[in-house]
Amino acid sequence: MSKLHRPLGTLSDDADPVRLTPDTAGWRYSGLRVLSLAPGEVRILHTGEFEAFVLPLSGSATVRVDGQVFELRGRDSVFTRVTDFAYVPREAEVELSTTDGLEVALPMARCTRRLDAKYGPAEDVPVEVRGAGQATRQVTNFGVPGVWDHADKLNACELITPGGNWSSYPPHKHDEATECEVVNEEIYYFRIAGRDGVTPSREGFGLHRTYTADGELDEDVAVRDHDVFLIPRGYHGPCVAAPGYPMYYLNVLAGPAEERSMAFCDDPAHSWVRDTWAAQDLDPRCPVTSHEGLVQ
């Protein structure tokens, strides 16, 4: 069994789908929690040595932290719109509440600086279409350097890959401090839409590949809704959405660099593929979501 692929049920023993710390991942910085709150439920969290984003996956949330209150307008699912989010600092008590029910992700990073809590409106989040042809995908850059600079170590973004398309391609890595890359531990958290293309379901699936040049890591796995894959090192990609089943994943990255960066290097054997995109059309299904709702 893969130590890097963590299927649903292996990272939590309660109703919350994911509890991943750097210790349980086997590294130093990146972590992730995914919480499920019933209608009217209130949850108190303590961030400890971690900074985090509060990112609704479905439903809306009220966040109370450091004397501030943030009303996060969420979404029906990750396949319907871009969501509001919040940044919460280390050493904070965070109260989450919801009126109608909530599923929320907390991408986390172990850090040393304590920053102020901050609200991130959906309208300020850039939505990028990347690639071309069957490698067309949407990237929602809510928590990346240059867009969101209010973090110490934490980087995060969302990707949506239409059914039948490839993303995280060409394969790339970020496990060395070189001219083209920085060291980052990365988490992939997958949601897979069911037959309606909107509602997450364990019925659908996708594929993910991670490998190293020396062959020490060489994994090709099927991923389903709520699965997690860990990238401690090596090239990763592609992620392939099975036809009929759009794929979402949340990327969480953090590492030792003094300044946040998501710089990477392609696998030189496959970087030529980027040059072919100029002659290909974009998949008209992208962008899949906007700030207001479903595009198509």
Side-chain angles (χ1 to χ4, degrees), residues 257-276:
E258 291 187 10
E259 293 188 11
R260 293 165 63 235
S261 172
M262 294 172 61
F264 61 85
C265 291
D266 285 342
D267 183 340
H270 304 295
S271 60
W272 66 270
V273 173
R274 291 187 185 274
D275 296 332
T276 69

Side-chain angles (χ1 to χ4, degrees), residues 173-183 235 261-265:
K173 74 180 185 74
H174 36 73
D175 55 16
E176 297 179 282
T178 68
E179 291 184 359
C180 77
E181 65 183 300
V182 298
V183 177
Y235 294 106
S261 172
M262 294 172 61
F264 61 85
C265 291

Side-chain angles (χ1 to χ4, degrees), residues 141-154:
N141 288 308
F142 75 93
V144 305
V147 172
W148 184 269
D149 292 326
H150 190 78
D152 186 19
K153 296 289 187 184
L154 180 59

Side-chain angles (χ1 to χ4, degrees), residues 47-96:
T47 57
E49 59 184 334
F50 298 94
E51 60 183 348
F53 292 122
V54 180
L55 182 75
L57 301 172
S58 63
S60 297
T62 300
V63 180
R64 292 179 170 84
V65 56
D66 289 353
Q68 300 187 71
V69 179
F70 304 132
E71 297 290 346
L72 305 186
R73 181 189 173 199
R75 47 195 170 183
D76 291 335
S77 95
V78 295
F79 298 101
T80 58
R81 73 180 297 269
V82 179
T83 182
D84 296 346
F85 67 98
Y87 170 89
V88 295
R90 61 170 285 156
E91 299 170 354
E93 180 176 278
V94 182
E95 180 187 285
L96 301 179

Side-chain angles (χ1 to χ4, degrees), residues 1-222:
M1 181 177 176
S2 169
K3 294 182 179 179
L4 303 181
H5 180 209
R6 308 290 178 92
L8 176 65
T10 62
L11 287 173
S12 181
D13 57 3
D14 53 27
D16 294 333
V18 177
R19 289 174 177 260
L20 178 70
T21 68
D23 291 340
T24 56
W27 54 35
R28 294 177 57 194
Y29 296 99
S30 298
L32 174 67
R33 290 189 67 180
V34 178
L35 311 177
S36 295
L37 278 68
E41 184 176 352
V42 177
R43 190 82 68 93
I44 304 295
L45 305 173
H46 294 88
T47 57
E49 59 184 334
F50 298 94
E51 60 183 348
F53 292 122
V54 180
L55 182 75
L57 301 172
S58 63
S60 297
T62 300
V63 180
R64 292 179 170 84
V65 56
D66 289 353
Q68 300 187 71
V69 179
F70 304 132
E71 297 290 346
L72 305 186
R73 181 189 173 199
R75 47 195 170 183
D76 291 335
S77 95
V78 295
F79 298 101
T80 58
R81 73 180 297 269
V82 179
T83 182
D84 296 346
F85 67 98
Y87 170 89
V88 295
R90 61 170 285 156
E91 299 170 354
E93 180 176 278
V94 182
E95 180 187 285
L96 301 179
S97 60
T98 177
T99 300
D100 300 319
L102 173 69
E103 191 169 59
V104 61
L106 283 85
M108 306 182 300
R110 180 177 277 135
C111 66
T112 56
R113 290 194 299 147
R114 191 182 198 277
L115 307 178
D116 294 333
K118 189 173 180 180
Y119 166 68
E123 291 74 16
D124 292 346
V125 175
V127 175
E128 172 189 1
V129 176
R130 190 176 294 174
Q134 288 182 299
T136 310
R137 62 273 199 179
Q138 172 184 322
V139 185
T140 306
N141 288 308
F142 75 93
V144 305
V147 172
W148 184 269
D149 292 326
H150 190 78
D152 186 19
K153 296 289 187 184
L154 180 59
N155 307 282
C157 62
E158 301 177 297
L159 285 92
I160 299 179
T161 309
N165 282 13
W166 295 42
S167 58
S168 283
Y169 194 74
H172 58 280
K173 74 180 185 74
H174 36 73
D175 55 16
E176 297 179 282
T178 68
E179 291 184 359
C180 77
E181 65 183 300
V182 298
V183 177
N184 271 322
E185 307 157 351
E186 184 169 12
I187 300 165
Y188 277 67
Y189 168 64
F190 292 93
R191 305 306 307 267
I192 308 295
R195 299 185 186 191
D196 64 3
V198 171
T199 307
S201 168
R202 294 284 289 178
E203 177 184 35
F205 68 98
L207 303 174
H208 173 87
R209 174 160 170 72
T210 288
Y211 61 96
T212 53
D214 62 9
E216 186 173 340
L217 290 180
D218 192 358
E219 299 203 16
D220 301 279
V221 299

